[in-house]
Amino acid sequence: RPRAALRQAAPTSPFSDGTWCSTEALAELDDALRALHALPAPGWARGGRCHALPLCEERRCLVTLFALPAGRHAPLRVHPVGTVIRHRPLCGDVELSRWQLPARPGGAARCVARQSAGEGEESGGALLSTFGGLAQGIAAGGDRPAVVLEVALLSPVVPDPGPASVRSPPADAAPEATGGAPAPACL
């Protein structure tokens, strides 16, 4: 259904606020994500490493399952501006952070927003929503592992769609290198 969320876009429009995405189709996607049931943490989420398992890598839709050991976070990722991103915690508590990376080498990364949710939220299935443009971090909150499903819908004006459009910031710009992250990064 993510493809149904695409709306025709002019090639020069950045749609950085996600207005390219049909609100009806996005609501349908949100309902489908909320309907997913929580799972017990698989063994690979209890180990010392974070795992990112790509489930779908189409030109305009990327679906990734993250398994995060307790207190750990995945390396930062930067989605293109205009990408609409939904995170659905399936196990444990998840914290999503957005980072302004330093403009010059040696500068400090700065956390500009944080959201958190768990699979047991009273809302019937918590969702964390954000947009591309800034670096994002996903961390397991609390003292148990977390599993989170990420659905990223890329704007129709992203020049190089698909998995290649998501990048990792340079290692010296990441918060863990500049003292901004509370938890150790997974490799």
Side-chain angles (χ1 to χ4, degrees):
R1 303 253 170 156
R3 267 186 247 138
L6 296 177
R7 185 184 289 167
Q8 290 297 321
T12 57
S13 301
F15 290 102
S16 62
D17 61 356
T19 55
W20 60 270
C21 198
S22 160
T23 54
E24 296 83 15
L26 195 53
E28 196 174 315
L29 173 63
D30 289 350
D31 289 344
L33 289 172
R34 283 188 183 98
L36 295 174
H37 297 287
L39 305 169
W44 46 274
R46 292 188 194 103
R49 295 186 53 196
C50 295
H51 296 275
L53 176 64
L55 302 178
C56 173
E57 292 184 330
E58 293 186 5
R59 288 180 48 80
R60 300 286 174 202
C61 177
L62 304 174
V63 180
T64 307
L65 185 69
F66 290 91
L68 309 164
R72 302 291 298 254
H73 64 86
L76 292 181
R77 296 168 12 124
V78 181
H79 291 82
V81 171
T83 302
V84 175
I85 308 165
R86 296 293 197 260
H87 293 91
R88 170 67 166 102
L90 299 175
C91 171
D93 296 322
V94 176
E95 182 178 275
L96 176 68
S97 55
R98 293 180 45 90
W99 295 85
Q100 179 69 50
L101 298 177
R104 62 186 186 292
R110 184 173 62 93
C111 182
V112 296
R114 288 190 193 274
Q115 302 178 58
S116 60
E119 92 278 1
E121 300 286 329
E122 295 175 13
S123 63
L127 286 180
L128 298 173
S129 302
T130 189
F131 297 102
L134 294 175
Q136 289 194 116
I138 301 172
D143 59 354
R144 61 186 193 136
V147 177
V148 62
L149 183 69
E150 175 185 85
V151 177
L153 303 175
L154 281 69
S155 166
V157 298
V158 171
D160 297 315
S165 66
V166 179
R167 63 181 178 81
S168 296
D172 66 344
E176 56 269 15
T178 62
C186 299
L187 301 175

